[in-house]
């Protein structure tokens, strides 16, 4: 009886605390920085901490969320959910680690209004993670623009940092985004990660008037590769490793990030345009090294 009362009380507390799903879009300046592995491990860590997590997979290729998890079947019909023909619970594939995955091909997600896309994100999940696919101009989908936060994943390497800056520049000019969170992946020391973040934040603030927030760092860990070979994530396969601990720390921290409005409602979308020569000229590559 005591357990029933306790469970009911916990359920009531969660219900009263709920203020809609927290939506986080994750992307990076290049394909080799580990965005998809970040999404998978973060989803596993959040589920481990008792959160209802939905992963929306925009990057449908051989390195997609489903592919990395061993080819999950039935990752849903995004269009059917948006059109109200199928419930989110019925459409999304449920992984054994406790999170759901919904595939969102470009043709499906681009055919709907922001209001329709937003309705998918207003489901029962505590956290929605979008593995965001940038288009050929380096811009976000209308779906990813429904996120409350955009996290850029990078590494401690000159080219990766330069690519991250270029990515933020394109997104800033395309969507008017003035704030990003930055996660430094595959680091050998916290000091290196902090130095890389501070350099990037200083240049972004000076040249773009964009503010960056430090999302932390993930340790370089050889067991990350082994986990992928096993079609698993490091949080599940090797939970005591430094990288797994870092993902669990990030999962715990993000639950206390300020809950902002969706990016699409904070910034007026402007017609896509290529970056001008003048904008290219302010690329402070040397200062990012």
């Amino acid at each position: 009886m005591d357990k029933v009362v306790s469970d009911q009380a916990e359920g009531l507390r969660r219900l009263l605390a709920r203020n809609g799903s927290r939506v986080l879009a994750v992307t990076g300046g290049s394909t080799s920085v580990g965005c998809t592995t970040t999404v998978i491990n973060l989803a596993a860590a959040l589920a481990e901490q008792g959160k209802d997590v939905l992963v929306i997979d925009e990057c449908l290729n051989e390195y997609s969320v489903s592919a990395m998890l061993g080819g999950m079947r039935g990752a849903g019909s995004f269009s059917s959910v948006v059109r109200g023909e199928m419930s989110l619970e019925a459409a999304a594939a449920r992984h054994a680690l406790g999170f759901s995955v919904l595939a969102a091909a470009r043709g499906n997600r681009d055919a709907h209004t922001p209001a329709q896309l937003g309705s998918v994100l207003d489901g029962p999940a505590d956290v929605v993670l979008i593995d965001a696919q940038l288009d050929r101009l380096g811009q976000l989908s209308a779906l990813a623009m429904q996120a409350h936060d955009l996290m850029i994943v990078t590494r401690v390497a000159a080219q990766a940092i330069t690519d991250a800056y270029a990515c933020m520049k394109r997104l800033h000019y395309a969507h008017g985004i003035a704030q990003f969170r930055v996660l430094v992946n595959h680091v050998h020391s916290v000091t290196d990660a902090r130095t890389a973040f501070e350099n990037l934040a200083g240049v972004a603030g000076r040249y773009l008037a964009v503010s960056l927030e430090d999302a932390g760092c993930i340790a370089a860990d050889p067991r990350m590769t082994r986990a992928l070979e096993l079609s698993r994530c490091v949080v599940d396969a090797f939970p005591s490793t430094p990288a797994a601990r870092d993902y669990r720390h990030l999962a715990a921290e993000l639950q206390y990030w300020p809950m902002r409005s969706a990016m699409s409602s904070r910034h007026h979308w402007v017609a896509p345009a290529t970056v001008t020569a003048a904008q290219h000229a302010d690329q402070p590559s040397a200062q990012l090294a």
Side-chain angles (χ1 to χ4, degrees), residues 206-289:
R206 178 179 179 183
Y207 290 92
L208 298 179
V210 163
S211 65
L212 305 187
E213 295 191 25
D214 190 356
C217 60
I218 306 298
D221 194 330
R223 281 159 291 251
M224 287 284 292
T225 300
R226 181 55 184 155
L228 292 175
E229 292 171 350
L230 297 170
S231 297
R232 297 169 67 184
C233 61
V234 74
V235 167
D236 165 49
F238 307 107
S240 64
T241 59
R245 291 196 298 268
D246 287 341
Y247 280 120
R248 287 196 296 270
H249 179 74
L250 173 60
E253 288 292 312
L254 77 80
Q255 298 171 47
Y256 295 96
W257 292 351
M259 192 72 162
R260 305 186 180 98
S261 57
M263 290 186 291
S264 60
S265 63
R266 281 183 274 149
H267 309 289
H268 294 290
W269 185 86
V270 295
T274 55
V275 178
T276 66
Q279 291 164 349
H280 270 302
D282 72 359
Q283 181 84 356
S285 301
Q287 297 181 44
L288 291 169

Side-chain angles (χ1 to χ4, degrees), residues 68-281:
M68 286 191 176
L69 292 174
M72 286 180 63
R73 296 181 180 274
S77 171
F78 185 85
S79 290
S80 295
V81 176
V82 174
R83 293 194 298 264
E85 301 169 356
M86 184 182 295
S87 70
L88 183 60
E89 292 81 357
R94 191 76 175 175
H95 191 271
L97 293 178
F99 58 87
S100 300
V101 180
L102 183 66
R106 182 182 299 278
N108 289 338
R109 65 178 187 264
D110 289 350
H112 305 288
T113 67
Q116 289 174 318
L117 296 172
S119 68
V120 178
L121 305 176
D122 292 333
D126 297 305
V127 181
V128 178
L129 301 176
I130 303 176
D131 192 7
Q133 181 185 50
L134 303 181
D135 66 16
R136 61 184 181 83
L137 296 177
Q139 298 169 11
L140 292 167
S141 69
L143 173 63
M145 283 297 294
Q146 303 302 310
H148 304 113
D149 282 290
L150 177 60
M151 187 165 73
I152 304 293
V153 181
T154 188
R155 290 194 177 199
V156 183
Q159 188 59 54
I161 297 295
T162 300
D163 290 345
Y165 175 82
C167 176
M168 289 187 288
K169 177 190 281 189
R170 289 191 299 268
L171 293 171
H172 173 63
Y173 287 131
H175 306 295
I177 300 173
Q179 187 174 59
F180 300 89
R181 294 189 183 273
V182 176
L183 178 69
V184 185
N185 196 15
H186 198 75
V187 305
H188 293 283
S189 78
V190 174
T191 300
D192 289 346
R194 187 64 193 173
T195 299
F197 172 79
E198 289 175 350
N199 288 344
L200 185 56
V203 171
R206 178 179 179 183
Y207 290 92
L208 298 179
V210 163
S211 65
L212 305 187
E213 295 191 25
D214 190 356
C217 60
I218 306 298
D221 194 330
R223 281 159 291 251
M224 287 284 292
T225 300
R226 181 55 184 155
L228 292 175
E229 292 171 350
L230 297 170
S231 297
R232 297 169 67 184
C233 61
V234 74
V235 167
D236 165 49
F238 307 107
S240 64
T241 59
R245 291 196 298 268
D246 287 341
Y247 280 120
R248 287 196 296 270
H249 179 74
L250 173 60
E253 288 292 312
L254 77 80
Q255 298 171 47
Y256 295 96
W257 292 351
M259 192 72 162
R260 305 186 180 98
S261 57
M263 290 186 291
S264 60
S265 63
R266 281 183 274 149
H267 309 289
H268 294 290
W269 185 86
V270 295
T274 55
V275 178
T276 66
Q279 291 164 349
H280 270 302

